[in-house]
Amino acid sequence: MDTTTALFYVFSAVLLFAGFRVITARSTVHAALYLVLAFFNASCVWMLLRAEFLAIALVLVYVGAVMVLFLFVVMMLDFNNEQVRDGFWKHFPLAAVIGVVIALEMAVVLLGGFRLSEVQPMAPELAQLGNTKALGVVLYTQYLYPLEIAAVILLVAIIAAIALTMRRRKDSRWTDPAEQVRVTKAQRLRIVNVPVAREAAASTEQQAAPNGGQA
């Protein structure tokens, strides 16, 4: 066993352990940190496969941006996850069986792509380029239409998320920017006269004083 194979098994073992701890950690913050560890080990595996662009994109995009946002939201909300985790170990065996079945189905579908009889050589004009530049050339030439379809799907998802957030609900608090712009000076400040209950306060003081307030 050479060094690359040994590192692959080490990174894969840590990746599996971190992925398992993501769903079993009692603290949400700890689960997010284990997910960061899983991302780092996945990027190390990609580095061993000489996919430097995917490795650095995983670190910069997911670890540097997405996970920081997750941690910020989790620490800001500070919700109690005991109710969420109620009955976790009760339903864990069924969830584990379903997960194994899904993994086997994915293995049946994806293993065919790894059984390559002949490795297709890279084009001579791409062989002189780096991995990142060669990936960009192939992505924006041969796979341009799938890339555009994925971009449209993400755009629809963003619009749907905004529409669901901005819909009018009874418990939602939102303001119309057009009404805020049209507001006048007189509408910004409203003075309310509040009557002062002096007589009630004086009677309370007299009752509290000894001998009915008499000297």
Side-chain angles (χ1 to χ4, degrees):
M1 181 184 296
D2 55 354
T3 306
T4 304
T5 306
L7 290 176
F8 173 78
Y9 283 114
V10 171
F11 292 141
S12 300
V14 177
L15 175 60
L16 293 176
F17 170 75
F20 180 76
R21 289 296 296 163
V22 168
I23 62 174
T24 57
R26 301 187 64 87
S27 176
T28 310
V29 178
H30 293 170
L33 293 177
Y34 277 116
L35 187 57
V36 172
L37 179 62
F39 285 152
F40 269 116
N41 284 273
S43 64
C44 292
V45 172
W46 281 346
M47 287 291 291
L48 294 177
L49 297 176
R50 297 181 181 180
E52 297 87 359
F53 175 76
L54 296 178
I56 194 64
L58 180 63
V59 173
L60 293 179
V61 176
Y62 285 93
V63 179
V66 177
M67 288 310 305
V68 172
L69 180 61
F70 282 176
L71 286 173
F72 177 75
V73 173
V74 168
M75 296 177 68
M76 181 180 64
L77 294 179
D78 192 19
F79 64 94
N80 187 10
N81 58 351
E82 292 296 333
Q83 297 179 355
V84 179
R85 293 183 57 86
D86 188 16
F88 174 79
W89 294 107
K90 178 181 178 181
H91 303 286
F92 180 77
L94 178 60
V97 172
I98 296 176
V100 171
V101 172
I102 293 175
L104 292 177
E105 292 177 352
M106 293 179 62
V108 171
V109 175
L110 298 177
L111 281 179
F114 293 97
R115 297 171 183 172
L116 300 177
S117 58
E118 296 181 0
V119 180
Q120 297 294 332
M122 186 178 293
E125 60 273 9
L126 296 178
Q128 300 177 358
L129 305 175
N131 291 336
T132 304
K133 194 170 184 179
L135 179 62
V137 171
V138 174
L139 185 64
Y140 287 99
T141 53
Q142 299 181 10
Y143 299 97
L144 181 60
Y145 290 127
L147 179 66
E148 292 181 350
I149 293 173
V152 171
I153 293 175
L154 291 176
L155 179 61
V156 172
I158 293 173
I159 295 175
I162 296 174
L164 291 175
T165 305
M166 299 299 295
R167 72 182 190 275
R168 295 190 177 184
R169 301 190 304 267
K170 294 181 179 180
D171 57 344
S172 64
R173 298 179 179 179
W174 62 280
T175 58
D176 189 1
E179 295 181 359
Q180 290 182 339
V181 173
R182 290 195 301 267
V183 69
T184 60
K185 180 180 179 181
Q187 296 175 348
R188 295 182 183 275
L189 179 62
R190 184 176 62 180
I191 301 176
V192 179
N193 294 324
V194 179
V196 180
R198 295 181 178 178
E199 297 180 357
S203 61
T204 304
E205 292 178 357
Q206 290 180 0
Q207 293 177 2
N211 298 327
Q214 297 178 358

